[in-house]
Amino acid sequence: DLVFHDPPALIEIFKDLFHHDVNMLFSTSKLASFTYSQITAFQSDLRDRGLIQNDVMTCLLPPNIQPGIVTALMQHFGLCFEVRVKEKMDRRVQTCQYKIPWYLHQQMPEELSIAWPADVPEQQEQLQILCDIRGFCPR
């Protein structure tokens, strides 16, 4: 069991990463070490696929916050999931990224709509899953 003595402070830390406006999220001077094209790619990854690199997430957090603790808490609460991605240039090197479902769109991606029709044929079955989160959920 985890006990938080100051839950509002924890929520404020999470709010630094959860924005509806991805452009505003990336408008921080802490990303100055990255090029414009890299930042554009980071924005696209987060907006379109819900993916953010560990080092980018570290830059978006306040300076006095340890990123390892934040990501561990986010994983514990199901707010993000760790994804290991192999580098394109060197397949032996893996980059740690996090999948943040908050940024995923509710619409079905276009490439899936071809493989998964809106109307299910009679000879097929469709399974739908609904996740109902009850209780405290930082938004």
Side-chain angles (χ1 to χ4, degrees):
D1 291 342
L2 300 172
V3 176
F4 297 100
H5 298 286
D6 192 3
L10 181 65
I11 292 171
E12 289 302 316
I13 293 169
F14 289 151
K15 281 183 180 179
D16 285 337
L17 294 174
F18 294 91
H19 287 274
H20 290 290
D21 185 359
V22 174
N23 293 332
M24 187 181 89
L25 179 66
F26 281 88
S27 64
T28 177
S29 61
K30 294 185 266 182
L31 294 169
S33 62
F34 298 105
T35 65
Y36 176 77
S37 61
Q38 286 176 311
I39 293 173
T40 303
F42 298 151
Q43 288 174 320
S44 176
D45 281 347
L46 188 58
R47 185 183 310 108
D48 300 337
R49 301 185 308 152
L51 283 175
I52 188 167
Q53 292 183 17
N54 187 38
D55 53 343
V56 175
M57 187 185 304
T58 300
C59 291
L60 298 177
L61 290 171
N64 58 342
I65 301 297
Q66 294 180 351
I69 293 172
V70 173
T71 54
L73 285 172
M74 288 174 63
Q75 287 178 320
H76 178 77
F77 290 124
L79 299 174
C80 76
F81 305 93
E82 187 174 320
V83 178
R84 296 270 176 192
V85 179
K86 292 187 179 191
E87 291 288 332
K88 291 177 184 172
M89 298 298 186
D90 187 354
R91 304 298 276 166
R92 296 171 291 166
V93 178
Q94 289 188 345
T95 302
C96 180
Q97 294 186 341
Y98 294 95
K99 175 77 99 176
I100 303 177
W102 166 275
Y103 287 103
L104 297 177
H105 302 288
Q106 292 182 350
Q107 300 87 0
M108 183 183 302
E110 190 173 318
E111 58 269 11
L112 283 183
S113 63
I114 296 166
W116 195 335
D119 297 320
V120 180
E122 282 188 37
Q123 67 272 18
Q124 291 183 353
E125 291 183 20
Q126 178 174 327
L127 178 65
Q128 292 183 344
I129 299 173
L130 173 68
C131 180
D132 185 19
I133 300 173
R134 297 177 187 261
F136 177 75
C137 181
R139 265 282 187 167

